[in-house]
Amino acid sequence: MQKITLLGSTGSIGRSALDVISRHPDAYQVFALTANSNVELLVAQCQQFRPAVAVIKDDTLVDQLAERLQALSLATVVLSGEAGLCQVSNANEVDTVLAAIVGAAGLEPTLAAVKSGKRVLLANKESLVMAGGLFMDAVATNGCTLLPIDSEHNAIFQCLPRNFGPLAEVGVERILLTASGGPFRTTPLEQLLSVTPDQACAHPNWSMGRKISVDSATMMNKGLELIEACWLFDAKPEQVQVVIHPQSVIHSMVQYTDGSVLAQMGNPDMRTPIAHALAWPSRIDSGVEPLDLFAVARLDFEPPDLRRFPCLRLAMQAAEAGNTMAAVVNAANEVAVEAFLQERIGYMAIAEVIEATVERVAMPVAKDLETVKAVDLQARAKAAEVIVRGRQTIGVPLAGLEPAP
Ligand code: NAD
Ligand code: MG
């Protein structure tokens, strides 16, 4: 019986993970569930899965959560804050931590799991983007088993040999990281200026949280994934090629020196990579419909247009830079995406805010976690300032900065 802490259980990945877990009550037991502020759903999940602990990140909601659980006669212990999240990540009772918090907030609790040598199922790509070197060092030092849940990285993992070492030694030439191209792959460029949050979140193939949906539209998601792939598979940025594949049926590929290209395919449903990581090296039922190739009928591929997707270009630069530029890009992106979702800036301004932030903050080498956290905070403050002061004061061409109509 694997005992599991599910960080971010009320999110899109969290809910998919609980769906898979609920199909295998004899194999998996939920030790802890966590949410930022969604008490309602957390209570419902506690009622169904009876975890030993529930963590609410927002301290002001602790009493409300405790009262609701008590009213249902549940013995679940309530914790809160980042300390509570870290506590359920490194608790002795826990074998596996599924890291599905969104954004930089996932870094410390995920690292806590790594540092206590847990089996870590990683959805929170931002923790690798921010602190990949420190993170992978901690994985090695603590003998942690790290299994990627991000569908592309899970696909790459499946296409690599078991216990792979350096890529060159197992004959890998390139990683082909597939991307759907999002909802605006073919939208005329001038129309992108007036895109709304709901349009940006309407992904053609995947149903996801709002932040990652916007990231998919701008292709920042693919940029973050490129950085994630470099850390996970010890690849150089030039060994990872982004390939737009609008059907989202191939989830990524590995190209070998002998000319072979291995692909992992399936319906676009996160329950497949979640089930793979949960059961690895075995296989379990995920509840996903089998792939119907005749219904898919065709698979298309095209190179990404960096003019259409400036966020991808910025993330590619960060992957090359090797310092804390990736943390800066990640932080500025989180601030800009939030501002876009609140309709404070236009869609095209997201990349401009990130670029203006990169030009205005120091990006030292990530020598320790304190450095990374300081850079993250500085980048957030600078990005917020860029948004507030806008084009007049900052003096950069923030063409998309007007609020979306
Ligand atoms: P989501 O917004 O649906 O859910 C996020 C979860 O994190 C929720 O449970 C929320 O309560 C919690 N959370 C949010 N802010 C928090 C904070 N400050 N402190 C603590 N907890 C907080 O997001 P999602 O789509 O499920 O994505 C989760 C992670 O998985 C992201 O890193 C994303 O990039 C990655 N991912 C998601 C998908 C997908 O299909 N949704 C695919 C691949 C990777
Ligand atoms: Mg992905």
Side-chain angles (χ1 to χ4, degrees):
M1 182 71 92
Q2 263 190 65
K3 285 201 176 173
I4 301 179
T5 281
L6 184 31
L7 299 172
S9 63
T10 53
S12 167
I13 292 286
R15 282 176 277 130
S16 293
L18 286 175
D19 180 273
V20 177
I21 288 170
S22 70
R23 294 165 194 273
H24 307 278
D26 299 337
Y28 307 105
Q29 186 185 340
V30 176
F31 172 78
L33 296 173
T34 88
N36 189 33
S37 57
N38 189 344
V39 172
E40 203 64 41
L41 183 54
L42 188 57
V43 168
Q45 291 180 338
C46 287
Q47 209 174 357
Q48 187 180 353
F49 292 93
R50 313 264 158 167
V53 187
V55 186
I56 190 89
K57 172 72 188 304
D58 182 342
D59 297 306
T60 63
L61 297 169
V62 177
D63 292 342
Q64 193 188 332
L65 176 62
E67 279 162 25
R68 295 282 306 273
L69 294 174
Q70 221 167 15
L72 292 164
S73 307
L74 292 175
T76 306
V77 171
V78 174
L79 300 175
S80 70
E82 188 164 83
L85 294 172
C86 292
Q87 215 170 314
V88 292
S89 281
N90 58 26
N92 281 335
E93 296 93 325
V94 173
D95 307 300
T96 299
V97 174
L98 197 154
I101 289 174
V102 63
L107 175 61
E108 298 238 24
T110 309
L111 259 183
V114 169
K115 286 180 180 162
S116 51
K118 305 295 184 202
R119 182 175 161 111
V120 175
L121 280 43
L122 185 71
N124 176 252
K125 65 192 82 186
E126 293 91 345
S127 53
L128 273 181
V129 170
M130 292 175 72
L134 302 168
F135 192 101
M136 295 309 288
D137 283 351
V139 167
T141 313
N142 297 286
C144 157
T145 302
L146 181 63
L147 294 157
I149 283 191
D150 209 346
S151 59
E152 297 77 5
H153 306 76
N154 183 272
I156 295 160
F157 183 87
Q158 293 197 47
C159 295
L160 286 168
R162 176 85 65 89
N163 300 325
F164 61 90
L167 293 183
E169 282 179 22
V170 292
V172 171
E173 194 98 315
R174 279 196 304 183
I175 287 169
L176 304 174
L177 186 69
T178 54
S180 68
F184 307 134
R185 184 174 58 89
T186 56
T187 307
L189 285 177
E190 62 279 6
Q191 285 182 22
L192 292 181
L193 282 171
S194 55
V195 151
T196 66
D198 282 345
Q199 287 170 328
C201 288
H203 196 279
N205 307 330
W206 295 93
S207 149
M208 308 180 286
R210 280 171 80 79
K211 189 259 178 184
I212 185 176
S213 295
V214 176
D215 285 351
S216 298
T218 61
M219 281 192 82
M220 176 55 87
N221 184 50
K222 211 48 52 179
L224 300 180
E225 289 184 355
L226 188 151
I227 299 168
E228 182 186 12
C230 289
W231 288 117
L232 279 173
F233 307 114
D234 195 14
K236 297 190 183 67
E238 61 269 23
Q239 283 179 293
V240 185
Q241 180 171 25
V242 175
V243 178
I244 292 189
H245 162 49
Q247 290 88 0
S248 298
V249 164
I250 293 180
H251 300 306
S252 276
M253 297 170 265
V254 176
Q255 181 175 345
Y256 287 88
T257 42
D258 62 4
S260 301
V261 176
L262 302 193
Q264 187 262 356
M265 301 168 72
N267 284 319
D269 186 322
M270 289 306 294
R271 288 177 300 173
T272 294
I274 290 168
H276 172 268
L278 272 172
W280 185 84
S282 303
R283 298 268 181 181
I284 53 169
D285 170 37
S286 64
V288 176
E289 286 292 310
L291 181 64
D292 179 351
L293 279 176
F294 299 122
V296 175
R298 57 179 281 181
L299 302 174
D300 294 309
F301 305 99
E302 55 192 65
D305 172 359
L306 295 184
R307 239 168 28 100
R308 175 178 292 274
F309 299 112
C311 285
L312 176 59
R313 171 177 55 76
L314 287 163
M316 287 166 106
Q317 282 168 12
E320 288 288 346
N323 54 10
T324 38
M325 179 172 171
V328 170
V329 166
N330 179 65
N333 180 58
E334 283 187 30
V335 173
V337 169
E338 185 62 29
F340 168 67
L341 286 172
Q342 295 167 352
E343 303 195 36
R344 290 193 286 122
I345 63 171
Y347 172 82
M348 290 302 281
I350 295 172
E352 294 178 4
V353 168
I354 299 167
E355 189 145 33
T357 305
V358 165
E359 286 164 6
R360 285 168 174 74
V361 294
M363 301 187 287
V365 172
K367 65 175 192 319
D368 50 32
L369 198 58
E370 283 61 46
T371 308
V372 173
K373 281 160 65 178
V375 165
D376 174 74
L377 286 179
Q378 280 158 15
R380 276 167 207 277
K382 188 56 75 179
E385 187 188 320
V386 167
I387 288 169
V388 171
R389 293 167 73 192
R391 139 175 46 192
Q392 296 85 351
T393 344
I394 298 286
V396 286
L398 293 169
L401 256 190
E402 287 80 10

